[in-house]
Amino acid sequence: MSEPTTAAGPSPVTRAPEARQSASGVRASLAGNLNRRRLARGWSLRELSAATGVSKGLLSQMERAEANPTVDILVRVADVLGTNCTDLLRQPLLEPEIIRACALDEPEDETSVSLLYAGHEQGRMEIYRTRLHPHAQSQVSSHGVDSVEYVIVMSGQVTLVVNDVPYLLEAGDTARFSAQCSHYYTTQDSPAVTHTVVGYPRD
């Protein structure tokens, strides 16, 4: 995992969008997602156990990130909670993922297509075009639980600030991050244009 890019520091090696999750990270994601969805329905562990046929003890272990449930159990729990296994195992974005334009394999004499990100949002989305003047700052934003923001710098140079940590982005760079976090964009001596997409979960 690369270190965050700051406005004052050098650019790190780009982190691949397909960065692998560790087993403990998957269990932690399941624990948080399962607990959140259960509480959203107002159910106790006993009630979820009765609805799924999965023991209360195993469900408790899953919410403490101590269990390795089978696919069959995950499917049963997901069905009862009105979701799917992908959403139950989805890992939150703990820091922005940045893809540098200069790191893309784009031969000048060939047509190229690069997959930047594969998202899991299955609800509504919003698409924005933002034009920033020199020495400007966008409004400080936060879009709610499990929302994800994607940004592409179309021209100029911007600094993305997430939870008070700055990330310098050049023209052509892209990033995605948890839009639940407090964030904004700033410019220095030149104007900039960005395109952003905000994705929201179904619930």
Side-chain angles (χ1 to χ4, degrees):
M1 182 180 298
S2 62
E3 294 298 322
T5 307
T6 65
S11 298
V13 175
T14 301
R15 187 169 81 180
E18 306 88 357
R20 295 181 180 177
Q21 293 176 274
S22 66
S24 60
V26 173
R27 286 192 294 269
S29 298
L30 173 61
N33 293 330
L34 175 58
N35 178 262
R36 178 176 60 80
R37 290 185 175 276
R38 176 177 65 80
L39 294 180
R41 288 179 174 259
W43 286 357
S44 66
L45 284 171
R46 187 180 302 278
E47 290 170 323
L48 182 58
S49 174
T52 60
V54 178
S55 73
K56 177 184 173 184
L58 178 55
L59 290 172
S60 177
Q61 288 182 323
M62 289 165 64
E63 288 199 5
R64 297 197 306 271
E66 296 174 352
N68 292 311
T70 63
V71 172
D72 177 66
I73 288 176
L74 286 176
V75 170
R76 285 156 59 188
V77 172
D79 285 346
V80 168
L81 293 176
T83 185
N84 54 55
C85 293
T86 298
D87 280 350
L88 281 183
L89 297 175
R90 182 176 61 203
Q91 187 173 33
L93 289 169
L94 301 180
E95 65 180 37
E97 294 183 27
I98 298 172
I99 297 177
R100 300 294 179 189
C102 62
L104 297 176
D105 184 14
E106 296 180 329
E108 293 185 2
D109 58 345
E110 298 179 15
T111 298
S112 61
V113 177
S114 300
L115 173 63
L116 300 178
Y117 302 109
H120 300 295
E121 300 77 31
Q122 298 184 26
R124 66 186 177 90
M125 69 174 183
E126 299 168 346
I127 303 175
Y128 300 92
R129 174 182 169 87
T130 303
R131 189 177 198 81
L132 291 165
H133 295 289
H135 303 287
Q137 176 181 312
S138 68
Q139 180 179 358
V140 178
S141 301
S142 177
H143 300 291
V145 175
D146 283 349
S147 59
V148 176
E149 184 161 332
Y150 301 77
V151 59
I152 301 176
V153 181
M154 307 303 295
S155 64
Q157 183 185 82
V158 301
T159 298
L160 164 66
V161 181
V162 181
N163 285 341
D164 297 323
V165 179
Y167 301 84
L168 182 64
L169 303 178
E170 307 281 354
D173 289 349
T174 68
R176 71 172 172 180
F177 55 93
S178 171
Q180 179 179 348
C181 300
S182 174
H183 62 277
Y184 60 91
Y185 300 89
T186 66
T187 56
Q188 296 300 320
D189 297 331
S190 302
V193 174
T194 66
H195 288 179
T196 56
V197 176
V198 181
Y200 299 87
R202 289 177 302 178
D203 58 346

